[in-house]
Amino acid sequence: MEIDASKLTQKELNDAIMDCMHSGVKKIILRNVYGQRYIGTRLYSPNNKVEIEIFGTPGNNLGAFLDGHRIIVHGNAQDGVGNTMDDGVIIVDGRAGDVVAMSMRGGKIFIRDSVGYRAALHMKEYLSKRPVLVIGGTVQDFFGEYMAGGIVILLRLNLGNTLHEANFIGTGMHGGVIYIRGEVERHHLGKEVGVSKLDEKDEDILKRYVGEFAHYFGMDKKDIIKEDFTKLLPVLKRPYGRIYTY
Amino acid sequence: MTRIKREIYEKEISACSLFGAMNRNKERFTGEGVISAIANMHVRGNGLGGGFAIYGLYPKYKDCYAFHIMFERRNKDAKKETDAFLSMNFDLVYDEEIPHGDAKVVNPPLVWRYFVIPKKRREEENFSDDDYVVQKVMHINTKIEDAYVFSSGKDMGVFKGVGYPEDVAEYFFLDKYKGYIWTAHGRFPTNTQGWWGGAHPFSILDWTVVHNGEISSYGTNRRYLEMHGYYCTLHTDAEVMTYAVDLLMRRQHLPMSLVARIFAPPFWELIDRMDENERKLLTELRMVYAPMLINGPFAVIIAHHDEMIGLTDRIRLRPLIAGVRGEMFYLSLEEAAIRLLSQKLDKVWTPNGGEPVIVRINR
């Protein structure tokens, strides 16, 4: 099913997507998308998962609260990709703006290029729900800020031999794990994270999700994975516990 | 399990919208593209303000200061008093009501444009033309009831009002004008009322500012500017930014790269890691210009002749995207608005917080 979004408001577009889903359509192609927000939100459907392919530039909060569907963007995404996403997959064949994967609680996001500020802001996990974010390029400041769970992998594929410039990485982080390909300077890290050694489990995680990333974007997994990764873990589970009065 | 029907939360979640486009070869283009780009971010505003600044607007009168002046409630006495004040202090070359049609704007005031040349007397000869004009603009804004100067630069002008930006554009027929820089704003007022004077852009001489955010240092900034002869009369925080760029860039000749460091200084812990020269410079800037630090979340597009500048606060609490295609340079809060004008871009990126994107014309 194809929808031409050029004349549609965000509500009309999302209503049209919902109608498609309820009528049993499995794959929805959106063309001429220019900034319509919340694409993929409101698609509550326990038994019927759809694939949404987007041509153009989807608006803020793409896939917010996403309920297990699959979204593919041919182009760049704006701010708030996968905001509080619950399950499913978002693949962006381009770059994305600020606060990617903010408060994400499940599912997977793969971004081919770089992202803006505050990626993985307050991402979380609970029992079997463990969100995954893989970024092919680099990030800007406050990456992993207040992160409470989940797996974040940063591949730095577009940086050559230069180091990351992002400051305040993992500020306030108290759960989850960040893997960064290559090295990170200590002063770029927030006070609440420490560098740890990778073990076999980490290698498995990297093989699996970098493999999936490489598959989506037609890259060679082995080339990416052969370099050393830096693993960042929170120092404390509750870094600001002492400043509360109770 | 079906969900129980709930009451739907009706609040409109909005923020301002900003857009800027510049042809670096100084070729003038019409407003249609910019109007459609700002309209594409319609949901960011709430119809309580929209406006545009256009550079290269009045080539026929390019040596005159072009005053766009609004008269609240179409107050005839204010118009009469302003006319008298202007003819006493300027040579009037041409003036007319700014043409307008019907559109969804709220309570339009009378908006008049005057093309003038300073008529300085005696000791006023010591002032530069620009300083003279600033003084007269401040007089109109503070002393003439119901008269407010929208803009006062040469070969440029500000059109603004209460409505969505696309409605304001329709009201003033902006698709008919041409310029080589256009900046645009859709407003979602946070702390003050929506009125014609409070719509963006804010302007003094040929400086204009469109702003998204909240300047929590407004009080401090305003008092500092008053000491330098700038009086804030428009009841909106972004006004201070306009006078601040005039003070720092035109009068004190500081380059934008330093002004950005004054508005959005790096944290002390970053300054501590810089090499000695830079550390000294930034420490002094923070000391000397502490009252000019703009606190709170902001994204702005600042413009004057030959230059357009994008800047966010140092930790980027508001969005800003830059894009280039050939000679065209775009700044926007959302990439989609840029793509609407130019599907293909040579480069598109997220500028770092506190680091200005400076676009100059090709020489």
Short mmCIF file of all heavy atoms in Angstrom, two decimals, chain A residues 185-243:
data_model
loop_
_atom_site.label_atom_id
_atom_site.label_comp_id
_atom_site.label_asym_id
_atom_site.label_seq_id
_atom_site.Cartn_x
_atom_site.Cartn_y
_atom_site.Cartn_z
N GLU A 185 38.74 9.73 25.09
CA GLU A 185 39.54 10.40 26.11
C GLU A 185 38.74 10.55 27.39
O GLU A 185 37.54 10.86 27.36
CB GLU A 185 39.98 11.78 25.59
CG GLU A 185 40.94 11.62 24.41
CD GLU A 185 41.64 12.91 24.10
OE1 GLU A 185 42.38 13.39 24.99
OE2 GLU A 185 41.46 13.43 22.99
N ARG A 186 39.46 10.35 28.50
CA ARG A 186 38.79 10.36 29.80
C ARG A 186 38.00 11.66 30.03
O ARG A 186 36.90 11.64 30.57
CB ARG A 186 39.88 10.18 30.87
CG ARG A 186 39.43 10.17 32.31
CD ARG A 186 38.51 9.02 32.64
NE ARG A 186 37.33 9.56 33.32
CZ ARG A 186 36.34 8.84 33.82
NH1 ARG A 186 36.36 7.54 33.73
NH2 ARG A 186 35.31 9.40 34.40
N HIS A 187 38.57 12.80 29.58
CA HIS A 187 37.87 14.06 29.89
C HIS A 187 36.61 14.27 29.05
O HIS A 187 35.86 15.20 29.29
CB HIS A 187 38.82 15.26 29.76
CG HIS A 187 39.30 15.52 28.38
ND1 HIS A 187 40.58 15.25 27.98
CD2 HIS A 187 38.68 16.01 27.29
CE1 HIS A 187 40.73 15.58 26.71
NE2 HIS A 187 39.59 16.04 26.27
N HIS A 188 36.38 13.40 28.09
CA HIS A 188 35.11 13.48 27.36
C HIS A 188 33.99 12.73 28.08
O HIS A 188 32.84 12.80 27.68
CB HIS A 188 35.28 12.90 25.94
CG HIS A 188 36.00 13.84 25.02
ND1 HIS A 188 36.42 13.48 23.77
CD2 HIS A 188 36.36 15.13 25.17
CE1 HIS A 188 37.02 14.51 23.19
NE2 HIS A 188 37.00 15.52 24.02
N LEU A 189 34.36 12.00 29.11
CA LEU A 189 33.36 11.21 29.82
C LEU A 189 32.79 11.97 31.01
O LEU A 189 33.50 12.74 31.66
CB LEU A 189 33.99 9.90 30.33
CG LEU A 189 34.60 8.99 29.28
CD1 LEU A 189 35.19 7.75 29.95
CD2 LEU A 189 33.56 8.58 28.25
N GLY A 190 31.54 11.73 31.30
CA GLY A 190 30.93 12.29 32.49
C GLY A 190 31.50 11.61 33.73
O GLY A 190 32.16 10.57 33.64
N LYS A 191 31.25 12.21 34.89
CA LYS A 191 31.80 11.67 36.14
C LYS A 191 31.18 10.33 36.51
O LYS A 191 31.70 9.61 37.34
CB LYS A 191 31.54 12.67 37.27
CG LYS A 191 32.26 13.98 37.12
CD LYS A 191 32.00 14.87 38.35
CE LYS A 191 32.54 16.26 38.12
NZ LYS A 191 31.71 17.04 37.16
N GLU A 192 30.05 10.03 35.96
CA GLU A 192 29.30 8.85 36.41
C GLU A 192 29.59 7.58 35.62
O GLU A 192 28.94 6.57 35.85
CB GLU A 192 27.79 9.16 36.37
CG GLU A 192 27.35 10.24 37.36
CD GLU A 192 27.68 11.66 36.90
OE1 GLU A 192 27.94 11.84 35.70
OE2 GLU A 192 27.70 12.56 37.74
N VAL A 193 30.55 7.64 34.67
CA VAL A 193 30.88 6.42 33.93
C VAL A 193 32.35 6.04 34.08
O VAL A 193 33.21 6.88 34.29
CB VAL A 193 30.60 6.53 32.41
CG1 VAL A 193 29.15 6.36 32.11
CG2 VAL A 193 31.13 7.83 31.84
N GLY A 194 32.59 4.74 33.95
CA GLY A 194 33.96 4.23 34.00
C GLY A 194 34.20 3.31 32.82
O GLY A 194 33.25 2.76 32.24
N VAL A 195 35.47 3.14 32.43
CA VAL A 195 35.83 2.26 31.33
C VAL A 195 36.06 0.86 31.88
O VAL A 195 36.77 0.68 32.87
CB VAL A 195 37.11 2.78 30.63
CG1 VAL A 195 37.55 1.82 29.53
CG2 VAL A 195 36.87 4.16 30.07
N SER A 196 35.45 -0.15 31.25
CA SER A 196 35.60 -1.53 31.72
C SER A 196 36.18 -2.40 30.61
O SER A 196 36.14 -2.04 29.44
CB SER A 196 34.24 -2.12 32.12
OG SER A 196 33.60 -1.28 33.03
N LYS A 197 36.66 -3.57 30.99
CA LYS A 197 37.18 -4.53 30.00
C LYS A 197 36.02 -5.29 29.36
O LYS A 197 35.03 -5.60 30.01
CB LYS A 197 38.08 -5.54 30.71
CG LYS A 197 39.50 -5.08 30.89
CD LYS A 197 40.43 -6.30 30.66
CE LYS A 197 41.88 -5.89 30.49
NZ LYS A 197 42.52 -5.52 31.76
N LEU A 198 36.20 -5.60 28.08
CA LEU A 198 35.17 -6.41 27.42
C LEU A 198 35.40 -7.88 27.72
O LEU A 198 36.55 -8.34 27.77
CB LEU A 198 35.24 -6.20 25.89
CG LEU A 198 34.53 -4.97 25.36
CD1 LEU A 198 35.34 -3.72 25.59
CD2 LEU A 198 34.20 -5.15 23.88
N ASP A 199 34.31 -8.62 27.93
CA ASP A 199 34.45 -10.07 28.09
C ASP A 199 33.75 -10.77 26.93
O ASP A 199 33.31 -10.13 25.98
CB ASP A 199 33.92 -10.52 29.46
CG ASP A 199 32.47 -10.13 29.66
OD1 ASP A 199 31.75 -9.98 28.65
OD2 ASP A 199 32.05 -9.95 30.81
N GLU A 200 33.62 -12.09 27.04
CA GLU A 200 33.04 -12.85 25.93
C GLU A 200 31.61 -12.45 25.62
O GLU A 200 31.19 -12.39 24.47
CB GLU A 200 33.08 -14.35 26.25
CG GLU A 200 34.31 -15.01 25.67
CD GLU A 200 34.40 -16.46 26.09
OE1 GLU A 200 33.33 -17.12 26.16
OE2 GLU A 200 35.52 -16.92 26.36
N LYS A 201 30.88 -12.18 26.69
CA LYS A 201 29.48 -11.78 26.51
C LYS A 201 29.39 -10.50 25.67
O LYS A 201 28.53 -10.35 24.82
CB LYS A 201 28.82 -11.54 27.86
CG LYS A 201 28.16 -12.75 28.45
CD LYS A 201 27.39 -12.33 29.69
CE LYS A 201 26.95 -13.55 30.46
NZ LYS A 201 26.64 -13.22 31.86
N ASP A 202 30.32 -9.58 25.97
CA ASP A 202 30.33 -8.33 25.22
C ASP A 202 30.63 -8.61 23.74
O ASP A 202 30.00 -8.02 22.85
CB ASP A 202 31.40 -7.38 25.77
CG ASP A 202 31.11 -6.98 27.20
OD1 ASP A 202 29.95 -6.63 27.48
OD2 ASP A 202 32.02 -7.02 28.04
N GLU A 203 31.59 -9.49 23.51
CA GLU A 203 31.93 -9.82 22.12
C GLU A 203 30.72 -10.38 21.39
O GLU A 203 30.48 -10.06 20.22
CB GLU A 203 33.07 -10.86 22.07
CG GLU A 203 34.35 -10.46 22.80
CD GLU A 203 35.13 -9.37 22.07
OE1 GLU A 203 34.79 -9.06 20.92
OE2 GLU A 203 36.08 -8.82 22.68
N ASP A 204 29.96 -11.21 22.08
CA ASP A 204 28.76 -11.79 21.45
C ASP A 204 27.75 -10.70 21.09
O ASP A 204 27.16 -10.71 20.01
CB ASP A 204 28.09 -12.80 22.40
CG ASP A 204 28.92 -14.07 22.49
OD1 ASP A 204 29.80 -14.26 21.63
OD2 ASP A 204 28.68 -14.86 23.43
N ILE A 205 27.57 -9.79 22.05
CA ILE A 205 26.61 -8.69 21.81
C ILE A 205 27.06 -7.89 20.59
O ILE A 205 26.26 -7.60 19.70
CB ILE A 205 26.54 -7.77 23.06
CG1 ILE A 205 25.79 -8.49 24.18
CG2 ILE A 205 25.89 -6.44 22.72
CD1 ILE A 205 25.79 -7.74 25.49
N LEU A 206 28.34 -7.56 20.54
CA LEU A 206 28.85 -6.75 19.43
C LEU A 206 28.69 -7.49 18.10
O LEU A 206 28.24 -6.91 17.11
CB LEU A 206 30.32 -6.39 19.66
CG LEU A 206 30.54 -5.29 20.70
CD1 LEU A 206 32.02 -5.12 21.00
CD2 LEU A 206 29.96 -3.97 20.23
N LYS A 207 29.07 -8.78 18.08
CA LYS A 207 28.96 -9.56 16.85
C LYS A 207 27.52 -9.54 16.34
O LYS A 207 27.26 -9.38 15.15
CB LYS A 207 29.40 -11.01 17.10
CG LYS A 207 30.87 -11.21 16.81
CD LYS A 207 31.25 -12.66 16.99
CE LYS A 207 32.73 -12.76 17.32
NZ LYS A 207 33.04 -13.92 18.14
N ARG A 208 26.62 -9.75 17.27
CA ARG A 208 25.22 -9.86 16.89
C ARG A 208 24.66 -8.55 16.32
O ARG A 208 24.11 -8.53 15.22
CB ARG A 208 24.43 -10.25 18.14
CG ARG A 208 23.02 -10.57 17.87
CD ARG A 208 22.42 -11.25 19.08
NE ARG A 208 20.98 -11.13 19.03
CZ ARG A 208 20.19 -11.31 20.08
NH1 ARG A 208 20.71 -11.61 21.25
NH2 ARG A 208 18.89 -11.20 19.94
N TYR A 209 24.85 -7.47 17.06
CA TYR A 209 24.19 -6.22 16.64
C TYR A 209 24.98 -5.46 15.57
O TYR A 209 24.38 -4.81 14.73
CB TYR A 209 23.88 -5.35 17.85
CG TYR A 209 22.88 -6.02 18.76
CD1 TYR A 209 23.22 -6.38 20.07
CD2 TYR A 209 21.60 -6.35 18.29
CE1 TYR A 209 22.31 -7.03 20.88
CE2 TYR A 209 20.68 -7.00 19.10
CZ TYR A 209 21.04 -7.35 20.40
OH TYR A 209 20.15 -7.99 21.19
N VAL A 210 26.29 -5.55 15.61
CA VAL A 210 27.06 -4.93 14.53
C VAL A 210 26.79 -5.72 13.24
O VAL A 210 26.69 -5.15 12.15
CB VAL A 210 28.57 -4.90 14.85
CG1 VAL A 210 29.38 -4.44 13.64
CG2 VAL A 210 28.82 -3.98 16.03
N GLY A 211 26.63 -7.04 13.39
CA GLY A 211 26.28 -7.87 12.24
C GLY A 211 24.96 -7.43 11.63
O GLY A 211 24.83 -7.28 10.40
N GLU A 212 23.98 -7.18 12.49
CA GLU A 212 22.67 -6.74 12.00
C GLU A 212 22.79 -5.38 11.31
O GLU A 212 22.23 -5.16 10.23
CB GLU A 212 21.68 -6.67 13.17
CG GLU A 212 20.24 -6.61 12.71
CD GLU A 212 19.24 -6.78 13.86
OE1 GLU A 212 19.62 -7.31 14.93
OE2 GLU A 212 18.08 -6.38 13.67
N PHE A 213 23.56 -4.48 11.92
CA PHE A 213 23.79 -3.15 11.35
C PHE A 213 24.43 -3.28 9.95
O PHE A 213 23.96 -2.69 8.98
CB PHE A 213 24.72 -2.36 12.29
CG PHE A 213 25.15 -1.02 11.76
CD1 PHE A 213 24.41 0.12 12.03
CD2 PHE A 213 26.30 -0.88 10.98
CE1 PHE A 213 24.80 1.37 11.54
CE2 PHE A 213 26.69 0.35 10.49
CZ PHE A 213 25.94 1.47 10.78
N ALA A 214 25.49 -4.07 9.88
CA ALA A 214 26.23 -4.24 8.62
C ALA A 214 25.32 -4.85 7.55
O ALA A 214 25.38 -4.46 6.37
CB ALA A 214 27.45 -5.12 8.84
N HIS A 215 24.47 -5.75 7.96
CA HIS A 215 23.53 -6.38 7.03
C HIS A 215 22.57 -5.34 6.42
O HIS A 215 22.36 -5.30 5.22
CB HIS A 215 22.76 -7.46 7.77
CG HIS A 215 21.57 -7.99 7.03
ND1 HIS A 215 21.71 -8.79 5.91
CD2 HIS A 215 20.24 -7.80 7.21
CE1 HIS A 215 20.49 -9.08 5.45
NE2 HIS A 215 19.59 -8.48 6.21
N TYR A 216 22.02 -4.47 7.26
CA TYR A 216 21.06 -3.47 6.76
C TYR A 216 21.69 -2.49 5.78
O TYR A 216 21.04 -2.03 4.86
CB TYR A 216 20.45 -2.67 7.92
CG TYR A 216 19.52 -3.47 8.79
CD1 TYR A 216 19.55 -3.34 10.19
CD2 TYR A 216 18.58 -4.35 8.23
CE1 TYR A 216 18.69 -4.07 10.99
CE2 TYR A 216 17.73 -5.08 9.04
CZ TYR A 216 17.79 -4.95 10.41
OH TYR A 216 16.94 -5.66 11.19
N PHE A 217 22.95 -2.13 6.04
CA PHE A 217 23.54 -1.06 5.24
C PHE A 217 24.60 -1.58 4.26
O PHE A 217 25.39 -0.81 3.72
CB PHE A 217 24.12 0.03 6.15
CG PHE A 217 23.08 0.62 7.07
CD1 PHE A 217 23.19 0.49 8.45
CD2 PHE A 217 21.96 1.26 6.55
CE1 PHE A 217 22.23 1.02 9.30
CE2 PHE A 217 20.99 1.79 7.39
CZ PHE A 217 21.12 1.66 8.77
N GLY A 218 24.62 -2.88 4.05
CA GLY A 218 25.52 -3.47 3.06
C GLY A 218 27.00 -3.25 3.38
O GLY A 218 27.79 -2.90 2.50
N MET A 219 27.37 -3.42 4.64
CA MET A 219 28.77 -3.26 5.00
C MET A 219 29.36 -4.61 5.44
O MET A 219 28.63 -5.58 5.59
CB MET A 219 28.90 -2.26 6.16
CG MET A 219 28.41 -0.87 5.81
SD MET A 219 28.48 0.18 7.26
CE MET A 219 27.57 1.61 6.68
N ASP A 220 30.67 -4.60 5.67
CA ASP A 220 31.32 -5.83 6.09
C ASP A 220 31.50 -5.83 7.60
O ASP A 220 32.25 -5.02 8.15
CB ASP A 220 32.67 -5.95 5.37
CG ASP A 220 33.31 -7.31 5.61
OD1 ASP A 220 32.77 -8.08 6.44
OD2 ASP A 220 34.33 -7.59 4.96
N LYS A 221 30.82 -6.73 8.26
CA LYS A 221 30.87 -6.80 9.72
C LYS A 221 32.30 -6.97 10.25
O LYS A 221 32.69 -6.37 11.23
CB LYS A 221 29.98 -7.96 10.17
CG LYS A 221 30.07 -8.30 11.64
CD LYS A 221 29.08 -9.38 12.00
CE LYS A 221 29.81 -10.65 12.41
NZ LYS A 221 28.88 -11.73 12.78
N LYS A 222 33.04 -7.83 9.56
CA LYS A 222 34.40 -8.16 10.05
C LYS A 222 35.29 -6.92 10.10
O LYS A 222 36.05 -6.72 11.04
CB LYS A 222 35.04 -9.22 9.16
CG LYS A 222 34.48 -10.61 9.42
CD LYS A 222 35.32 -11.67 8.71
CE LYS A 222 34.42 -12.80 8.24
NZ LYS A 222 34.25 -12.87 6.79
N ASP A 223 35.18 -6.08 9.07
CA ASP A 223 35.97 -4.85 9.03
C ASP A 223 35.68 -3.98 10.24
O ASP A 223 36.56 -3.34 10.80
CB ASP A 223 35.60 -4.04 7.78
CG ASP A 223 36.47 -4.44 6.61
OD1 ASP A 223 37.32 -5.32 6.81
OD2 ASP A 223 36.28 -3.87 5.51
N ILE A 224 34.41 -3.92 10.59
CA ILE A 224 34.00 -3.03 11.68
C ILE A 224 34.44 -3.59 13.02
O ILE A 224 34.94 -2.89 13.89
CB ILE A 224 32.46 -2.84 11.66
CG1 ILE A 224 32.00 -2.28 10.31
CG2 ILE A 224 32.03 -1.91 12.79
CD1 ILE A 224 30.49 -2.22 10.13
N ILE A 225 34.27 -4.89 13.16
CA ILE A 225 34.42 -5.47 14.49
C ILE A 225 35.88 -5.75 14.86
O ILE A 225 36.21 -5.92 16.03
CB ILE A 225 33.56 -6.77 14.54
CG1 ILE A 225 32.99 -6.95 15.93
CG2 ILE A 225 34.33 -7.97 14.09
CD1 ILE A 225 31.52 -7.08 15.93
N LYS A 226 36.77 -5.70 13.85
CA LYS A 226 38.16 -6.07 14.17
C LYS A 226 38.86 -5.04 15.06
O LYS A 226 39.82 -5.36 15.76
CB LYS A 226 38.95 -6.34 12.89
CG LYS A 226 39.25 -5.11 12.07
CD LYS A 226 40.02 -5.50 10.81
CE LYS A 226 40.28 -4.24 10.01
NZ LYS A 226 40.34 -4.43 8.59
N GLU A 227 38.37 -3.83 15.06
CA GLU A 227 38.99 -2.81 15.91
C GLU A 227 38.55 -2.99 17.37
O GLU A 227 37.51 -3.58 17.65
CB GLU A 227 38.59 -1.42 15.41
CG GLU A 227 39.59 -0.36 15.85
CD GLU A 227 39.27 1.00 15.25
OE1 GLU A 227 38.88 1.05 14.06
OE2 GLU A 227 39.40 1.99 15.96
N ASP A 228 39.37 -2.48 18.28
CA ASP A 228 39.02 -2.60 19.70
C ASP A 228 37.88 -1.65 20.06
O ASP A 228 37.77 -0.56 19.52
CB ASP A 228 40.23 -2.26 20.58
CG ASP A 228 41.25 -3.38 20.52
OD1 ASP A 228 40.86 -4.51 20.16
OD2 ASP A 228 42.43 -3.11 20.80
N PHE A 229 37.10 -2.09 21.00
CA PHE A 229 36.00 -1.26 21.49
C PHE A 229 36.26 -0.84 22.93
O PHE A 229 36.93 -1.55 23.67
CB PHE A 229 34.68 -2.04 21.43
CG PHE A 229 34.04 -2.07 20.06
CD1 PHE A 229 34.56 -2.88 19.05
CD2 PHE A 229 32.92 -1.30 19.78
CE1 PHE A 229 33.98 -2.92 17.79
CE2 PHE A 229 32.33 -1.33 18.52
CZ PHE A 229 32.86 -2.14 17.53
N THR A 230 35.74 0.31 23.28
CA THR A 230 35.79 0.75 24.68
C THR A 230 34.41 0.52 25.29
O THR A 230 33.41 0.86 24.66
CB THR A 230 36.10 2.27 24.74
OG1 THR A 230 37.31 2.50 24.04
CG2 THR A 230 36.21 2.76 26.16
N LYS A 231 34.40 -0.04 26.46
CA LYS A 231 33.11 -0.33 27.10
C LYS A 231 32.90 0.62 28.28
O LYS A 231 33.77 0.75 29.13
CB LYS A 231 33.11 -1.78 27.59
CG LYS A 231 31.89 -2.21 28.37
CD LYS A 231 32.10 -3.64 28.86
CE LYS A 231 30.98 -4.11 29.75
NZ LYS A 231 31.29 -5.44 30.32
N LEU A 232 31.77 1.27 28.29
CA LEU A 232 31.48 2.20 29.38
C LEU A 232 30.34 1.67 30.24
O LEU A 232 29.29 1.28 29.73
CB LEU A 232 31.06 3.57 28.83
CG LEU A 232 32.05 4.29 27.91
CD1 LEU A 232 31.47 5.61 27.46
CD2 LEU A 232 33.38 4.50 28.62
N LEU A 233 30.59 1.64 31.54
CA LEU A 233 29.55 1.22 32.48
C LEU A 233 29.38 2.31 33.53
O LEU A 233 30.33 3.04 33.83
CB LEU A 233 29.97 -0.08 33.18
CG LEU A 233 29.91 -1.37 32.38
CD1 LEU A 233 30.43 -2.52 33.22
CD2 LEU A 233 28.49 -1.66 31.90
N PRO A 234 28.19 2.40 34.09
CA PRO A 234 28.00 3.39 35.16
C PRO A 234 28.79 3.00 36.40
O PRO A 234 28.98 1.82 36.67
CB PRO A 234 26.50 3.34 35.44
CG PRO A 234 26.04 2.03 34.90
CD PRO A 234 26.95 1.68 33.78
N VAL A 235 29.26 3.98 37.12
CA VAL A 235 30.02 3.73 38.35
C VAL A 235 29.07 3.35 39.48
O VAL A 235 29.35 2.49 40.29
CB VAL A 235 30.83 4.99 38.72
CG1 VAL A 235 31.64 4.74 39.97
CG2 VAL A 235 31.72 5.41 37.57
N LEU A 236 27.95 4.00 39.52
CA LEU A 236 26.98 3.76 40.60
C LEU A 236 25.59 3.52 40.02
O LEU A 236 25.28 4.00 38.93
CB LEU A 236 26.89 4.99 41.52
CG LEU A 236 28.13 5.37 42.32
CD1 LEU A 236 27.97 6.76 42.89
CD2 LEU A 236 28.36 4.35 43.43
N LYS A 237 24.79 2.81 40.78
CA LYS A 237 23.41 2.58 40.34
C LYS A 237 22.54 3.81 40.60
O LYS A 237 21.48 3.99 40.01
CB LYS A 237 22.80 1.38 41.11
CG LYS A 237 23.26 0.04 40.58
CD LYS A 237 22.33 -0.45 39.47
CE LYS A 237 22.87 -1.70 38.80
NZ LYS A 237 22.85 -1.61 37.35
N ARG A 238 22.97 4.60 41.56
CA ARG A 238 22.13 5.73 41.97
C ARG A 238 23.03 6.94 42.26
O ARG A 238 23.24 7.30 43.42
CB ARG A 238 21.35 5.31 43.22
CG ARG A 238 20.03 6.05 43.40
CD ARG A 238 19.10 5.34 44.35
NE ARG A 238 18.01 6.23 44.68
CZ ARG A 238 17.94 6.92 45.81
NH1 ARG A 238 18.85 6.78 46.75
NH2 ARG A 238 16.92 7.74 46.02
N PRO A 239 23.56 7.56 41.18
CA PRO A 239 24.61 8.57 41.37
C PRO A 239 24.19 9.80 42.16
O PRO A 239 25.02 10.47 42.76
CB PRO A 239 24.99 8.96 39.94
CG PRO A 239 23.87 8.51 39.07
CD PRO A 239 23.24 7.35 39.76
N TYR A 240 22.93 10.11 42.14
CA TYR A 240 22.50 11.33 42.83
C TYR A 240 21.77 11.04 44.13
O TYR A 240 21.10 11.89 44.69
CB TYR A 240 21.62 12.18 41.90
CG TYR A 240 22.35 12.55 40.62
CD1 TYR A 240 21.91 12.07 39.39
CD2 TYR A 240 23.49 13.34 40.66
CE1 TYR A 240 22.60 12.38 38.22
CE2 TYR A 240 24.17 13.66 39.50
CZ TYR A 240 23.73 13.19 38.29
OH TYR A 240 24.41 13.50 37.14
N GLY A 241 21.88 9.75 44.60
CA GLY A 241 21.17 9.35 45.81
C GLY A 241 21.46 10.24 47.01
O GLY A 241 20.57 10.56 47.77
N ARG A 242 22.73 10.67 47.10
CA ARG A 242 23.12 11.43 48.29
C ARG A 242 22.54 12.84 48.32
O ARG A 242 22.47 13.46 49.36
CB ARG A 242 24.65 11.51 48.38
CG ARG A 242 25.25 10.33 49.08
CD ARG A 242 26.74 10.32 48.82
NE ARG A 242 26.99 10.26 47.38
CZ ARG A 242 28.06 10.72 46.78
NH1 ARG A 242 28.99 11.31 47.48
NH2 ARG A 242 28.23 10.62 45.47
N ILE A 243 22.15 13.34 47.16
CA ILE A 243 21.63 14.72 47.20
C ILE A 243 20.13 14.78 47.47
O ILE A 243 19.56 15.84 47.60
CB ILE A 243 21.98 15.52 45.92
CG1 ILE A 243 21.39 14.89 44.68
CG2 ILE A 243 23.48 15.68 45.77
CD1 ILE A 243 21.69 15.69 43.41
#
